[in-house]
Amino acid sequence: AHGTPGKCKPDVVLPICPRDSVIVDGECQCREDTHGTPGKCKPDVVLPICPRDSVIVDGECQCRENTHGTPGKCRPDVTLPICPRDSQIVDGECQCLPGSHGDPGKCVPDTKRATCPEDSHFDRKLQACVCNAPLQGDPGNCQGLILELPLLQLN
């Protein structure tokens, strides 16, 4: 006890609390955001609310299976196909190259063998008529090379 005789007050002995707790009204209680018995306090688990594109895994939001990125901005895992030589990837799928149609691997030119003027032939790579060698110019108006030789003067 302590104080003036006749007005003595009992000594208040505060408990020594474990690290996971604090004194509240003279008693040990688990710290804020924890619960249980002092010395064995456990964190309060608040599960997050995940965006639609993700799920809770070990208390955290993670993108759903077959997706990647950040929850709320998860994107599908995309594996691009390997296209045959006659096609290319368009919107994640193989499609015949421009100027052709059909199924990739079996694409055919849009124009069947073109009818070209007699001085030209159809070039499959260019998909157009071109002058027959050694002629040059525009099909239907192909011309041979004109060689200009210097005139020799005989003296």
Side-chain angles (χ1 to χ4, degrees):
H2 67 278
T4 312
K7 295 183 181 178
C8 292
K9 296 180 183 176
D11 289 333
V12 177
V13 178
L14 296 177
I16 297 172
C17 298
R19 286 184 170 186
D20 64 357
S21 55
V22 293
I23 297 174
V24 177
D25 295 330
E27 294 183 9
C28 293
Q29 292 185 359
C30 290
R31 293 180 182 274
E32 192 175 331
D33 298 327
T34 65
H35 65 280
T37 306
K40 295 181 181 177
C41 297
K42 296 179 182 175
D44 295 338
V45 177
V46 179
L47 294 177
I49 298 173
C50 297
R52 287 185 178 183
D53 64 359
S54 56
V55 293
I56 296 174
V57 178
D58 295 330
E60 293 183 6
C61 296
Q62 291 184 2
C63 290
R64 293 182 181 273
E65 190 174 339
N66 298 323
T67 65
H68 66 279
T70 306
K73 294 180 181 177
C74 297
R75 296 181 310 274
D77 295 337
V78 177
T79 49
L80 296 176
I82 297 173
C83 299
R85 286 185 174 191
D86 65 356
S87 57
Q88 63 187 2
I89 296 174
V90 177
D91 295 328
E93 294 182 5
C94 295
Q95 291 184 2
C96 291
L97 293 171
S100 65
H101 64 278
D103 295 322
K106 297 178 182 176
C107 299
V108 293
D110 288 342
T111 53
K112 292 184 180 176
R113 191 141 180 109
T115 304
C116 298
E118 288 184 22
D119 60 356
S120 60
H121 65 279
F122 186 76
D123 184 302
R124 289 175 57 182
K125 278 188 180 180
L126 299 175
Q127 292 289 305
C129 295
V130 295
C131 292
N132 295 330
L135 303 176
Q136 293 183 339
D138 296 321
N141 194 22
C142 296
Q143 297 177 2
L145 293 175
I146 299 172
L147 296 176
E148 292 186 26
L149 298 174
L151 293 176
L152 296 177
Q153 293 183 348
L154 297 173
N155 287 344

